[in-house]
PDB file of all heavy atoms in Angstrom:
ATOM      1  N   GLN A  59     -30.550 -74.256 -17.273  1.00  0.00           N
ATOM      2  CA  GLN A  59     -29.920 -75.189 -16.352  1.00  0.00           C
ATOM      3  C   GLN A  59     -29.674 -76.507 -17.063  1.00  0.00           C
ATOM      4  O   GLN A  59     -30.616 -77.132 -17.564  1.00  0.00           O
ATOM      5  CB  GLN A  59     -30.792 -75.425 -15.112  1.00  0.00           C
ATOM      6  CG  GLN A  59     -30.109 -76.315 -14.083  1.00  0.00           C
ATOM      7  CD  GLN A  59     -30.887 -76.428 -12.791  1.00  0.00           C
ATOM      8  OE1 GLN A  59     -32.115 -76.467 -12.776  1.00  0.00           O
ATOM      9  NE2 GLN A  59     -30.176 -76.472 -11.679  1.00  0.00           N
ATOM     10  N   GLY A 121     -26.117 -57.402  -6.526  1.00  0.00           N
ATOM     11  CA  GLY A 121     -25.573 -57.541  -5.193  1.00  0.00           C
ATOM     12  C   GLY A 121     -26.377 -56.872  -4.107  1.00  0.00           C
ATOM     13  O   GLY A 121     -25.986 -56.865  -2.945  1.00  0.00           O
ATOM     14  N   GLN A 125     -32.880 -62.648  -5.137  1.00  0.00           N
ATOM     15  CA  GLN A 125     -33.389 -63.034  -6.445  1.00  0.00           C
ATOM     16  C   GLN A 125     -34.254 -64.277  -6.274  1.00  0.00           C
ATOM     17  O   GLN A 125     -33.852 -65.223  -5.584  1.00  0.00           O
ATOM     18  CB  GLN A 125     -32.202 -63.320  -7.367  1.00  0.00           C
ATOM     19  CG  GLN A 125     -32.546 -63.571  -8.803  1.00  0.00           C
ATOM     20  CD  GLN A 125     -31.304 -63.593  -9.655  1.00  0.00           C
ATOM     21  OE1 GLN A 125     -30.630 -62.592  -9.843  1.00  0.00           O
ATOM     22  NE2 GLN A 125     -30.973 -64.764 -10.175  1.00  0.00           N
ATOM     23  N   PHE A 127     -36.835 -67.307  -8.152  1.00  0.00           N
ATOM     24  CA  PHE A 127     -36.988 -68.022  -9.404  1.00  0.00           C
ATOM     25  C   PHE A 127     -38.431 -68.432  -9.674  1.00  0.00           C
ATOM     26  O   PHE A 127     -39.207 -68.700  -8.755  1.00  0.00           O
ATOM     27  CB  PHE A 127     -36.121 -69.287  -9.388  1.00  0.00           C
ATOM     28  CG  PHE A 127     -34.665 -69.003  -9.588  1.00  0.00           C
ATOM     29  CD1 PHE A 127     -33.851 -68.667  -8.520  1.00  0.00           C
ATOM     30  CD2 PHE A 127     -34.102 -69.061 -10.859  1.00  0.00           C
ATOM     31  CE1 PHE A 127     -32.507 -68.392  -8.701  1.00  0.00           C
ATOM     32  CE2 PHE A 127     -32.753 -68.797 -11.057  1.00  0.00           C
ATOM     33  CZ  PHE A 127     -31.953 -68.471  -9.975  1.00  0.00           C
TER      34      PHE A 127
ATOM     35  N   TYR B 120     -28.694 -71.364  -2.622  1.00  0.00           N
ATOM     36  CA  TYR B 120     -29.996 -71.862  -3.048  1.00  0.00           C
ATOM     37  C   TYR B 120     -30.042 -73.377  -2.898  1.00  0.00           C
ATOM     38  O   TYR B 120     -29.044 -74.068  -3.084  1.00  0.00           O
ATOM     39  CB  TYR B 120     -30.261 -71.507  -4.518  1.00  0.00           C
ATOM     40  CG  TYR B 120     -30.576 -70.044  -4.757  1.00  0.00           C
ATOM     41  CD1 TYR B 120     -29.559 -69.099  -4.843  1.00  0.00           C
ATOM     42  CD2 TYR B 120     -31.887 -69.612  -4.901  1.00  0.00           C
ATOM     43  CE1 TYR B 120     -29.841 -67.758  -5.060  1.00  0.00           C
ATOM     44  CE2 TYR B 120     -32.184 -68.274  -5.116  1.00  0.00           C
ATOM     45  CZ  TYR B 120     -31.157 -67.361  -5.200  1.00  0.00           C
ATOM     46  OH  TYR B 120     -31.447 -66.039  -5.406  1.00  0.00           O
ATOM     47  N   GLN B 122     -32.178 -76.731  -4.328  1.00  0.00           N
ATOM     48  CA  GLN B 122     -33.086 -77.154  -5.394  1.00  0.00           C
ATOM     49  C   GLN B 122     -33.412 -78.629  -5.226  1.00  0.00           C
ATOM     50  O   GLN B 122     -32.547 -79.495  -5.376  1.00  0.00           O
ATOM     51  CB  GLN B 122     -32.485 -76.903  -6.772  1.00  0.00           C
ATOM     52  CG  GLN B 122     -33.447 -77.192  -7.907  1.00  0.00           C
ATOM     53  CD  GLN B 122     -32.854 -76.898  -9.272  1.00  0.00           C
ATOM     54  OE1 GLN B 122     -31.643 -76.981  -9.469  1.00  0.00           O
ATOM     55  NE2 GLN B 122     -33.701 -76.549 -10.224  1.00  0.00           N
ATOM     56  N   ARG B 135     -23.787 -60.885   3.251  1.00  0.00           N
ATOM     57  CA  ARG B 135     -23.199 -59.747   2.558  1.00  0.00           C
ATOM     58  C   ARG B 135     -21.797 -59.514   3.093  1.00  0.00           C
ATOM     59  O   ARG B 135     -21.448 -59.980   4.177  1.00  0.00           O
ATOM     60  CB  ARG B 135     -24.083 -58.515   2.739  1.00  0.00           C
ATOM     61  CG  ARG B 135     -25.457 -58.743   2.124  1.00  0.00           C
ATOM     62  CD  ARG B 135     -26.361 -57.543   2.187  1.00  0.00           C
ATOM     63  NE  ARG B 135     -27.708 -57.923   1.754  1.00  0.00           N
ATOM     64  CZ  ARG B 135     -28.089 -57.991   0.491  1.00  0.00           C
ATOM     65  NH1 ARG B 135     -27.230 -57.694  -0.459  1.00  0.00           N
ATOM     66  NH2 ARG B 135     -29.325 -58.351   0.175  1.00  0.00           N
ATOM     67  N   GLY B 178     -21.878 -58.547  -7.463  1.00  0.00           N
ATOM     68  CA  GLY B 178     -21.559 -57.206  -7.011  1.00  0.00           C
ATOM     69  C   GLY B 178     -22.465 -56.251  -7.732  1.00  0.00           C
ATOM     70  O   GLY B 178     -23.642 -56.125  -7.425  1.00  0.00           O
TER      71      GLY B 178
END
Side-chain angles (χ1 to χ4, degrees):
Chain A
Q59 184 173 37
Q125 187 170 293
F127 284 86
Chain B
Y120 287 81
Q122 186 178 29
R135 298 184 188 277

